[in-house]
Amino acid sequence: MSKKLPKGFLWGGATADFQYEGGFNESGRGLLSHDYETDGSKEHPRHHTMKMPDGSIIEPKSSFILADSVPTEAEPVFLDDEYYPSHNAVDFYHHYKEDIKLMAGMGFNIFRFSVCWSRIFPTGEEAEPNAAGLKFYDDVINEMAKYNMEPLITICHDEMPMNLALKYNGWTSRKVIDAYVKYAKTLFEHFGNRCKYWLTFNEINAVRGFGPTGVRNSEGQDRYQADHNMFVASAKAVKLGHKLIPGSQFGTMFAMSGAYPATCKPEDMFHYLQEKRENWYFIDIMGRGYYPEYAAELLQRHNVKELHMEPEDAQILKEGQLDYIAFSYYRSNTTKAGDDWFNVGGDSNPYLKETPWGWPVDPLGLRYTMNEVYDRIQKPIFIVENGMGAVDKADENDYVEDDYRIDYLKDHLSAMADAINIDHVPCLGYTMWAPIDLVSLSTGEMKKRYGFVYVDMDDKGHGTLKRTPKKSYNWMKHIIETNGSALDE
Ligand code: BG6
């Protein structure tokens, strides 16, 4: 079966503001929940730098994988001897014209980026948005329009203005729902005439803890209350967006690394069912518009006594269902009885090779996941992140021969084409993570590179920031110009 994709298929790339944009002191941007997060590595997890009332410094681990609790009395503090990657990232803020031109050169017709919430509302609570912040994204979108590239805007990518985190304990408070809806309305009114596709949140099923959700405690009651408030915020935004932007399409992005039972032992199979529900919980509520029956058992397992819901919430969830299901897919894992419920990454699979960061490579898992999500929700899907983090060796001209990345992408795109052409899964498009090298979310490293374009910068932010296309750049260009047919070559 040919790998050629249907006419109008959206081809592009995806990024997140605090990993890509930089410019943290510019255009009146306020502090963001990630601005006090250090760099790290696989062996040394990233952390926040915080000060206790007695002056001592604490370093709570900060990724969503390892999210330590942050004491109520701890205040964020910048330390001179720490490096904070979000401040400059790879400086899209000053390189947007060059980067968009490079993406257009590959034939992208869509670019997924996230708006930095604290660039629009620096504390999250201003009466009026920050005009200079809006102008930056105006400039970005207008530049994209020159190349007929449309935006896919992530309203909130694992972040919030620091003020909302500190003042309200992040998403545990319904005040943050109001702040988010006001922020989303601003984006709809300002960019709605140029943006049809929106994502209300990024990887909502995986985010937790202080950096991603502004919540000091990453487990149990607080985590699931925060999730409920995000469901309501998303549904309100979807409803409002549909009203303000005729023809708009809304998704939320779910982290969908596939899970397999480690064995066919019934206990492992049942654990697998329950672990799958750790993700379905989010997709079912947002994609079908109501809490599933199994939620009671899941919440009990997570020591949640009772979620606070307002009487109108059920109706809001029903009316604010997603139009399409977006997900990231990087890998799969295995699971067995006795494993932790929050098992990001999970166990490896003896049948699969792994990247240097231990992520199993499983292209068929992408086809499996596309089918599984569509079978269940019956709404179009959108693959909004997929890619391979690898250590690239650049030559003296900064050129990288990344055949391993080409292999990874070829196999995954082929599996995607099979899901679309053979299994008839409706899929709006594919945005690869991340077209231009940027800072890794989980480790804060620069050497975990994903891009088609090499950026001269090291793990501590040193380098010229020069952009140089890798071998995969021209390969991807050819795939896009043939709308997938070249995957058969
Ligand atoms: C997803 C996130 O989890 O995976 C991105 O939405 C992230 O923000 C991407 O960068 C890849 O993960 P990492 O940790 O390799 O950067």
Side-chain angles (χ1 to χ4, degrees), residues 19 157 202-203 253 330 359 385 433 440-442 448 450:
Q19 297 170 255
H157 192 116
N202 181 68
E203 295 198 338
M253 194 271 239
Y330 289 92
W359 292 22
E385 283 187 32
W433 185 270
S440 158
L441 174 75
S442 56
K448 190 180 185 191
Y450 284 87

Side-chain angles (χ1 to χ4, degrees), residues 280 327 364-378 381 415 418-420 422-425:
W280 291 131
F327 62 83
L364 188 56
L366 174 59
R367 180 173 171 189
Y368 181 95
T369 304
M370 291 172 73
N371 276 280
E372 193 183 34
V373 172
Y374 183 64
D375 282 355
R376 187 170 183 119
I377 308 292
Q378 298 280 296
I381 63 170
D418 288 347
I420 296 170
I422 301 174
D423 308 327
H424 299 282
V425 175

